Amino acid sequence: MSDIIHVLPDHVANQIAAGEVIQRPASVIKELVENSIDAGADSIQVVIKDAGRTLIQVIDNGKGMSESDARIAFERHATSKIKSADDLFALHTMGFRGEALASIAAIAQVELRTRREEDEVGTLVEIAGSKIENQTTVSCPVGTNFAIKNIFFNVPARRKFLKSNTAEFAKIESEFNRIALVYPQIEFELIHNGQICMSLKKGTYKERINSVFKNIKGFGSQLFSINVDSSLAKIYGFAGKPETAKKKNDRQYFFVNGRFMKHSYFHSAVIQAYGTMLQPGTSPDYFIYFEIDPESIDVNIHPTKTEIKFENEQSIWPLVMSGVREGLGKFNIAPSIDFDREGADDIPVFSPRGNHSIHAPQVEIDPTYNPFEQENDHSASHSGSTPSYQPRKKSSIGWENLYEGFESSSWRPSESEDFTNGDNDFFVGQGDVEIEPSFVTEEEPEAIQGTMEMKSHTEEAHQEYLQLKNKYILTPVKSGLMCIDQHRAHTRILYDQYISRISQKQSATQQLLFPEIIELSEAESMLLEDAMEDLQYIGFDLAALGKNTYSINGTPANLEGGSPKEYITNIITTLKESRLDFKSQVTQQVALSMAKLAATPYGRTLDSKEMMYLVSNLFMSAEPNFTPDNKLIIKIFSTDDIEKGFK
Ligand code: ADP
Ligand code: MG
């Protein structure tokens, strides 16, 4: 028999790699604009036609490329940005894999015009489907001009995959904003089908935020500033007044060292800072910039990855929380600190090549600062009008406060609140405290031992709970009657716990006395392998026995109902049905299906301890209102509506 293995030709390999880096026109724009920034440009123009389908052009005034660099740039792993693996750890530039241009050239027709200052003439390179078709000298200004035509012209399957022009343009705009908002010292322009959509002059951060969102009247004046300078990180930026918070908010931006990131753990710190001031289910606008020693964050190997892992997340969380709270407090005390005011202090502009070593602590946070102490004392009269059976508040920062109006004077961090002290019960949340994933049952009250704070909460608060139809937990709150779906609430709690375990790589397993053997098909076994690591952190102890057979030696503690085998097969079935492309999606799906399976079912009678456990843990979530798959968990029937019912 002849040999059957052969090495893929470069253009095929490039096309495969392109699938990873370039999903749509917006990804091309991201890669090209990031390259322009790395090339030191201070003016970048993005011109597109038909939402990028027919043309994407990025023009910069950066340092340009030499004739030979202009050609080599398109080769895979061609980069001027790193020379050794060590460089990866001290990286200040945007891209560093040397894959973007090779990927773009593999799936589109590309024209590159570029000239360096020292060269008299520039170079034109034309390349399509990874093949150089032409290289000549041209006259062109200093800088680089990339024109990408007919994206996916040679990959019809991917071209078909593109969404409507409106949807693709929205993605482009959001990618553009993510970059523009963090480089206010660079001038940007976005032109679509001959129309200028965005024209951003150089300026300060606040001016940039204002001009990006200039369609929203008075946007800037709805923001307050945040400034934290600590030895761990510099954190600065702006966040929106609580009244402007909304459901499904897409104006939430974190940036780290000049790069957009998503960070649900820090998001929870922002939400926590607002406390009771947010209406249920809403979240505020924010633009928060972190400057941090690049060695203390996870190297971003995947170019499309926006989740970034910090080494000191748990120590930074309280800085974010108190920074936002302090800004909010100052703003409430002196709303006259006008965002738009001339000469108001601005935060310094981030410079990717500048020296941003982290300073020794200068202005530390005042741990005793409580922005709401003097304010709103008039609320005493307000509370007089509320029904006498409103929840009693024994604990100073119980969940029940989350659902009270901002006017309430009862919301007040305890005397001892210390933002630098991780023991404070305010910081019980994802990550910093190990929360037992099991459901607390009568037989095992010590199951919550792991969370001391939890316990004191539950002991102190004598909240009244009623169970309705073995399905809902009812409890009065200040604004009316709160109704919580028990299964969904528990799903949210478990999901958060699983995700936190996976991200912190901690597992806790209960060994089975009699391991169970599970036999899978080839395809199922591949799915299981993908999810293996996540399942292990969730608490499964699985061993491969070969031939797609596995032994389940341990499970997460206190799984109710169902055999371990059923759990695993169920998870595999969901993975099979959901066909996921990315690791992070697999993780979320694994955590979600596991949470759904393990959550207390409908029809189960809960005792008061169990209800208390569910409710207090639910309100430690950053997203108590919705399950990870967006189902409503909490509904409040307002006193008004109830009163109307009696008219
Ligand atoms: P990376 O950005 O990871 O180095 P790319 O494929 O995006 O890889 O780019 C390859 C190289 O091409 C860059 O390292 C840089 O030297 C050069 N380059 C790309 N775009 C520009 C530009 N706009 N101006 C100057 N040089 C550029
Ligand atoms: Mg790049």
Side-chain angles (χ1 to χ4, degrees):
M1 216 163 91
S2 62
D3 294 339
I4 52 168
I5 298 180
H6 47 93
V7 174
L8 292 174
D10 266 359
H11 71 274
V12 181
N14 284 341
Q15 243 188 43
I16 294 169
E20 218 185 301
V21 189
I22 307 299
Q23 280 120 25
R24 46 178 24 98
S27 356
V28 172
I29 289 168
K30 171 175 185 284
E31 294 297 337
L32 294 182
V33 173
E34 287 184 347
N35 280 345
S36 298
I37 292 170
D38 284 342
D42 71 349
S43 170
I44 300 173
Q45 203 183 28
V46 179
V47 181
I48 52 173
K49 280 202 183 121
D50 309 315
R53 266 170 225 273
T54 47
L55 176 74
I56 299 165
Q57 202 173 4
V58 174
I59 306 162
D60 72 46
N61 65 351
K63 64 175 190 261
M65 283 177 260
S66 72
E67 195 184 321
S68 59
D69 278 354
R71 200 175 49 244
I72 297 167
F74 290 101
E75 280 174 27
R76 201 126 161 249
H77 308 303
T79 176
S80 54
K81 296 167 197 171
I82 50 168
K83 292 204 174 68
S84 76
D86 282 351
D87 294 351
L88 280 175
F89 294 95
L91 219 78
H92 294 278
T93 62
M94 307 291 282
F96 51 81
R97 300 214 312 181
E99 245 176 326
L101 292 184
S103 300
I104 294 169
I107 48 91
Q109 297 148 350
V110 180
E111 281 174 31
L112 160 63
R113 287 176 178 76
T114 185
R115 179 163 79 88
R116 298 182 303 178
E117 181 119 56
E118 62 263 43
D119 298 331
E120 269 181 17
V121 285
T123 301
L124 164 70
V125 179
E126 288 173 272
I127 181 166
S130 296
K131 270 217 321 273
I132 297 201
E133 304 202 313
N134 179 29
Q135 180 166 17
T136 49
T137 51
V138 286
S139 86
C140 61
V142 171
T144 301
N145 177 337
F146 271 103
I148 314 299
K149 295 179 181 164
N150 304 318
I151 184 171
F152 300 131
F153 78 101
N154 54 352
V155 203
R158 293 201 77 94
R159 200 176 167 83
K160 245 187 272 164
F161 189 69
L162 293 178
K163 302 213 169 88
S164 70
N165 278 6
T166 325
E168 292 299 336
F169 185 71
K171 294 223 188 302
I172 289 172
E173 215 174 17
S174 120
E175 210 60 77
F176 181 90
N177 288 349
R178 286 173 180 189
I179 300 177
L181 284 168
V182 79
Y183 287 101
Q185 72 278 36
I186 299 177
E187 188 176 275
F188 285 97
E189 203 165 51
L190 176 63
I191 299 175
H192 186 205
N193 292 336
Q195 268 196 327
I196 301 180
C197 310
M198 200 88 88
S199 177
L200 308 169
K201 300 274 158 285
K202 292 184 192 180
T204 60
Y205 277 105
K206 33 187 173 176
E207 284 161 348
R208 177 54 55 92
I209 293 170
N210 253 335
S211 33
V212 167
F213 297 104
K214 69 172 188 311
N215 294 341
I216 304 167
K217 214 168 148 259
F219 187 66
S221 58
Q222 297 165 4
L223 302 173
F224 59 86
S225 63
I226 297 161
N227 217 330
V228 180
D229 199 346
S230 106
S231 54
L232 276 177
K234 262 177 91 168
I235 305 166
Y236 46 77
F238 303 94
K241 287 200 258 184
E243 308 86 276
T244 60
K246 51 180 197 142
K247 291 187 176 157
K248 297 228 167 133
N249 196 338
D250 57 0
R251 281 194 301 272
Q252 298 182 324
Y253 296 85
F254 283 129
F255 303 95
V256 58
N257 295 352
R259 175 177 259 250
F260 174 82
M261 68 162 178
K262 286 193 179 137
H263 208 291
S264 55
Y265 185 51
F266 292 158
H267 173 82
S268 74
V270 176
I271 301 298
Q272 191 77 273
Y274 283 77
T276 55
M277 294 195 257
L278 293 177
Q279 288 297 312
T282 65
S283 63
D285 300 330
Y286 57 79
F287 306 86
I288 299 178
Y289 304 80
F290 294 78
E291 265 181 53
I292 188 160
D293 177 357
E295 294 198 18
S296 75
I297 52 181
D298 190 9
V299 186
N300 187 1
I301 291 293
H302 198 280
T304 57
K305 188 169 135 184
T306 47
E307 283 89 10
I308 289 182
K309 182 98 186 113
F310 286 54
E311 204 173 86
N312 298 310
E313 272 174 9
Q314 288 166 33
S315 323
I316 296 175
W317 194 96
L319 297 178
V320 177
M321 203 302 255
S322 54
V324 174
R325 182 173 288 179
E326 190 186 36
L328 191 51
K330 280 188 186 153
F331 183 80
N332 278 325
I333 291 162
S336 57
I337 303 174
D338 188 350
F339 185 82
D340 297 315
R341 202 183 59 190
E342 273 297 316
D345 291 348
D346 189 38
I347 48 185
V349 157
F350 173 77
S351 150
R353 271 159 300 276
N355 167 27
H356 58 296
S357 56
I358 304 302
H359 314 288
Q362 287 167 356
V363 191
E364 280 293 352
I365 302 144
D366 175 5
T368 57
Y369 180 70
N370 174 0
F372 311 110
E373 200 99 74
Q374 273 91 46
E375 285 249 292
N376 302 307
D377 267 343
H378 58 273
S379 60
S381 59
H382 180 97
S383 61
S385 64
T386 47
S388 57
Y389 62 86
Q390 66 165 308
R392 273 171 281 161
K393 292 167 290 292
K394 287 276 172 64
S395 63
S396 53
I397 319 173
W399 63 266
E400 48 294 29
N401 298 299
L402 288 167
Y403 274 87
E404 287 180 5
F406 169 38
E407 326 85 89
S408 165
S409 63
S410 61
W411 189 85
R412 190 164 289 175
S414 58
E415 300 291 317
S416 62
E417 179 167 353
D418 178 354
F419 292 132
T420 57
N421 175 0
D423 288 337
N424 193 294
D425 61 353
F426 214 72
F427 297 121
V428 183
Q430 305 143 317
D432 49 352
V433 181
E434 168 75 358
I435 298 174
E436 194 58 46
S438 64
F439 196 72
V440 184
T441 61
E442 201 64 78
E443 300 81 65
E444 284 172 353
E446 61 281 70
I448 51 168
Q449 284 288 1
T451 60
M452 295 246 306
E453 294 81 355
M454 221 1 272
K455 205 163 173 215
S456 61
H457 256 275
T458 51
E459 273 171 4
E460 280 176 39
H462 299 287
Q463 185 70 28
E464 296 116 61
Y465 302 107
L466 256 182
Q467 198 186 12
L468 176 70
K469 296 263 179 199
N470 287 344
K471 192 170 177 193
Y472 302 105
I473 302 169
L474 306 181
T475 189
V477 288
K478 196 158 179 180
S479 56
L481 180 65
M482 177 155 73
C483 187
I484 298 172
D485 181 307
Q486 68 186 48
H487 174 70
R488 291 180 183 178
H490 200 203
T491 304
R492 163 52 77 189
I493 294 166
L494 290 174
Y495 176 85
D496 286 1
Q497 288 170 359
Y498 295 150
I499 290 288
S500 133
R501 276 171 184 243
I502 294 168
S503 67
Q504 305 202 11
K505 304 198 182 298
Q506 300 171 330
S507 66
T509 295
Q510 186 173 293
Q511 292 301 316
L512 293 176
L513 223 40
F514 304 103
E516 286 190 24
I517 305 295
I518 176 165
E519 278 173 56
L520 302 173
S521 71
E522 180 73 29
E524 288 170 338
S525 142
M526 277 164 72
L527 288 167
L528 181 62
E529 291 291 335
D530 280 349
M532 193 72 130
E533 213 189 338
D534 296 338
L535 287 168
Q536 261 150 8
Y537 291 127
I538 286 178
F540 283 99
D541 179 359
L542 295 161
L545 304 176
K547 290 200 181 139
N548 305 326
T549 305
Y550 297 81
S551 144
I552 309 174
N553 303 325
T555 64
N558 305 318
L559 276 190
E560 279 189 275
S563 72
K565 214 163 143 175
E566 278 165 3
Y567 276 97
I568 298 291
T569 30
N570 265 316
I571 291 171
I572 293 177
T573 313
T574 350
L575 287 177
K576 215 189 290 179
E577 284 161 1
S578 37
R579 284 195 281 143
L580 307 165
D581 296 335
F582 297 105
K583 180 71 190 75
S584 59
Q585 294 174 325
V586 173
T587 301
Q588 285 163 8
Q589 191 57 57
V590 168
L592 176 62
S593 11
M594 184 59 203
K596 279 181 168 172
L597 293 166
T600 189
Y602 298 123
R604 188 165 166 323
T605 313
L606 304 175
D607 65 25
S608 60
K609 253 209 192 100
E610 291 169 334
M611 292 193 272
M612 194 133 66
Y613 173 90
L614 279 183
V615 177
S616 3
N617 275 278
L618 176 63
F619 285 101
M620 287 183 198
S621 172
E623 282 278 3
N625 288 292
F626 294 93
T627 61
D629 48 349
N630 277 324
K631 301 217 169 73
L632 193 64
I633 300 174
I634 300 166
K635 170 118 187 97
I636 295 187
F637 297 93
S638 72
T639 319
D640 280 357
D641 283 346
I642 295 172
E643 276 167 3
K644 268 186 217 141
F646 288 96
K647 279 192 182 133

